[in-house]
Amino acid sequence: MGLFSGLTKSNGGEYQNVGSAKTTTTTLFGGEEPPLVTATPVASSSLTAATASSSSPPLIPLTSCRFPTTIDTCPHCHSSQITTKIRTYPSCETWTIIIGLFLVFWPVCWFPLVIDSCKTTDHYCTNCNESVGRVKPLSDCCAKEMG
């Protein structure tokens, strides 16, 4: 038995409750048939392609570059030979390091706030002020390859 098993449809889009001793009449959707809603499944590959095409241009990989640098072309305004401006700020990783240092030796817990390699650095185009790259905290503090 369904939820609306006691309802019957009469003329004019009205539903009557005939299952109980008391009969009530309810009009739905102004006397018209209720609208049908259909869903069409979408393949995940087409969803990814549609999402990728509507997103902003990709960031230029500026790993271990925490000072203004010159890029060939801005992905947003397509200007060439642009020197970036930078913004360095503490991130969640920075605050995690601060909490860890506070628990180990509290007098030096403020060091990550003054060391740029412990903070996130964003590069911005000087022409359009859009973000063109990001350097994550601690990405340039350790040797990754040995010659």
Side-chain angles (χ1 to χ4, degrees):
M1 275 197 117
L3 182 64
F4 300 105
S5 61
L7 296 177
T8 60
K9 185 175 180 184
S10 65
N11 294 338
E14 296 177 343
Y15 289 87
Q16 293 182 348
N17 187 355
V18 293
S20 64
K22 180 180 173 186
T23 302
T24 58
T25 303
T26 307
T27 303
L28 300 174
F29 301 106
E32 300 174 4
E33 289 289 324
L36 295 176
V37 178
T38 58
T40 306
V42 177
S44 62
S45 61
S46 65
L47 180 63
T48 306
T51 305
S53 65
S54 65
S55 65
S56 63
L59 296 177
I60 298 170
L62 296 170
T63 58
S64 72
C65 185
R66 296 200 183 267
F67 51 88
T69 186
T70 302
I71 58 173
D72 293 331
T73 305
C74 173
H76 301 281
C77 66
H78 304 292
S79 297
S80 59
Q81 297 301 315
I82 297 294
T83 300
T84 62
K85 63 181 176 181
I86 61 168
R87 178 177 168 249
T88 301
Y89 57 93
S91 62
C92 290
E93 291 92 347
T94 308
W95 292 107
T96 304
I97 295 167
I98 291 169
I99 292 170
L101 285 174
F102 181 80
L103 294 174
V104 174
F105 189 62
W106 68 268
V108 298
C109 70
W110 57 273
F111 281 7
L113 292 173
V114 296
I115 300 172
D116 281 345
S117 64
C118 293
K119 298 186 280 185
T120 299
T121 301
D122 287 338
H123 288 264
Y124 294 94
C125 174
T126 54
N127 194 20
C128 65
N129 292 324
E130 292 290 329
S131 179
V132 294
R134 173 173 288 163
V135 182
K136 293 185 177 183
L138 304 175
S139 66
D140 58 347
C141 70
C142 302
K144 299 218 179 352
E145 290 183 27
M146 306 268 326

